[in-house]
Amino acid sequence: MTDNPVTTDAVAKAADRLLRAQAGGAPCPPVRDLIGRDDVRAAYAVQQLLTRARLAAGERVVGRKIGLTSPAVQAQLAVDQPDFGVLFDTMRYEDGAAVPPGAVFQPRAEAEIAFVLGADLAEGELSVEQVGAAVDHAVAAIEICGSRIAGWDISFGDTVADNASGGAFVLGRERLALADFAPRDAVMTLEVDGEQVSTGTGAACLGDPLLAVRWLARQARALGDPLRAGQVVLSGALGPMVPVAPGSTVRATVAPLGAVSFTLGEERR
């Protein structure tokens, strides 16, 4: 946390910079000059302004995404906690979809386990057991991360402000209840155009993806916006994130949840 409080004006200017980047179709400079590198409160205040703008434009919240679940990435950004962003209906694509090339800035893909909630996570201790009981089912997922910050030149403050670098997500078709598998034991492989580019396991996500969801549930409730039944939770990467070029097909297998894929559309000339 920075020593000097970030002003409301600085938060508004940071949000405006990111909104202008989105509207203009081109990345912008980092916003840390306005809100600092690691001011958690200021960064989420920017994110909340962007969320309000999207809601005002008619988008709907359908869930949350968790980021920075890897110890290596946390060390890279000098932080000791994950972050989270908001999932909107406009970010969701079906398995096998063609994702428009302009839908995500500077796209990078990572494979995850997505949990769909069957109950609210608003009351009680929010233990791992309570979180698991609230999950209706899990599916394999690919998060298409994107940064409106030019060159992915991000600090913790930049990525949180920019909706935790959330761009889009693709959900698999096969559903499993938690009674049928252990998320921490899931095994992931990620391919781009048939070439394996990333591998990992459920244990790479904070030791267990359900621990990541517990962290999120507690953070969301503390901010007055708890997780609700029907929402999707992207629990965090199971392996390294990889860049995706236009025209490429990305396929993730998360055993035993099955496979999920998308193709990034070509730029028009």
Side-chain angles (χ1 to χ4, degrees), residues 55-148:
L55 292 173
E59 297 184 58
R60 291 187 304 105
V61 173
V62 296
R64 309 285 177 85
K65 59 148 290 182
I66 310 170
L68 303 180
T69 55
S70 161
V73 176
Q74 289 184 8
Q76 182 181 21
L77 293 180
V79 298
D80 59 0
Q81 64 175 309
D83 69 352
F84 69 86
V86 181
L87 300 179
F88 296 91
D89 57 333
T90 54
M91 297 168 63
R92 180 171 181 164
Y93 291 87
E94 299 303 319
D95 182 26
V99 176
V104 181
F105 283 29
Q106 307 177 103
R108 298 180 178 184
E110 58 187 31
E112 309 190 10
I113 297 174
F115 297 100
V116 179
L117 300 180
D120 294 350
L121 285 170
E123 306 292 341
E125 181 186 351
L126 299 181
S127 64
V128 171
E129 292 75 18
Q130 182 181 351
V131 167
V135 171
D136 182 78
H137 63 272
V139 300
I142 300 173
E143 181 182 355
I144 312 171
C145 301
S147 181
R148 281 153 282 260

Side-chain angles (χ1 to χ4, degrees), residues 19 54-55 71 81 88 99 101 105 115 126 158 164 173 189 192 194 199 201 205 209 217 250-251 257 269:
L19 286 169
R54 296 180 75 155
L55 292 173
Q81 64 175 309
F88 296 91
V99 176
F105 283 29
F115 297 100
L126 299 181
D158 294 305
R173 301 175 190 273
T189 57
V192 176
T199 62
T201 69
C205 179
V250 179
R251 185 178 189 271
L257 287 166
R269 297 183 180 180

